[in-house]
Amino acid sequence: MSCRVRSASEASFADAICAFGVFDGVHEGHRFIIRTAIDQAREAGVRSVIITFDKDPTELFSDAHDKLMGNEERLDALASLGADEVAVIAFDHVEASLPAEAFLEDTFGAGAPRAVVVGEGFRFGQGATGAIEDLARWGSRHGMAAWELALLELDGAPVTSTRIRACLRQGQVEEAARLLGRPYGLAGTVVSGRQAGREMGICTANLSVAADRMVPADGVYAAFARIGDGIHRAAVSIGVPVTFDGVTESTIEAHILDFDRDIYGEELGLSFVEHLRPMIRFDSTEDLVAQIERDIERASSI
């Protein structure tokens, strides 16, 4: 059951136990931090609150992002984890300019939480100069405990958004799914493409996604496609189709199995299950079609 999501300026933190972070991807490491806060709150008989930002703070300073989730998607995912409330800080240049202590004063006002749970290396305040020591120092004056958790590890390395992005850049969607706790997903609008697939008798949906989203490495993948309330198997091609001369624009094209409806302009979600092969050049269109048919058969069986 989803909890209430509201502005941090409207939230009440008094006597609550809070998990605090950006939580891009809401991966297994993030859920470990959040579960700790929720479990501690239940044991103490107080409210649990997830504190996050309406956007990734780096969005204010750079146009280049590889976000694992859109902001609304991230908030929806956080709201599904069982906390009593998600409190969202509206992050802007004014908020970003606040020194660490002023940031905490602005966030919590007069009602400090009972405790705040953060992951190792958590930073806040102007220039990300605030650390756990600053959080604990402020907390000691306001009756708030500050708990820094060691990052959850899998295979001897911390589960982090950075590690997941590195997997996706290598096309390792299976490993990314293990760290995320679910398949990595992209969603966007179906737009008109080159129509090359239609000319070969293999229709594809050309997906347009937000420019700040992390896109897996070029290649062909088995995936699930979500259209409305329906889930379908799909073979997805990402990258520049090198077989066609003069084509330089990278695309995300999904051949949706057992589906033939026109979905231009509709929302399409993809969940990546397995990397099938890299993008390669074929000597002829016939060879390409034969390989695509093999890709579709493999995607169908996965």
Side-chain angles (χ1 to χ4, degrees), residues 20 33 117-123 147-151:
F20 197 173
I33 295 167
V117 184
V118 298
E120 185 178 356
F122 175 75
R123 294 290 184 269
W147 301 333
E148 183 182 51
L149 302 184
L151 300 181

Side-chain angles (χ1 to χ4, degrees), residues 18-29:
C18 306
F20 197 173
V22 178
F23 303 125
D24 180 31
V26 193
H27 56 60
E28 292 283 27

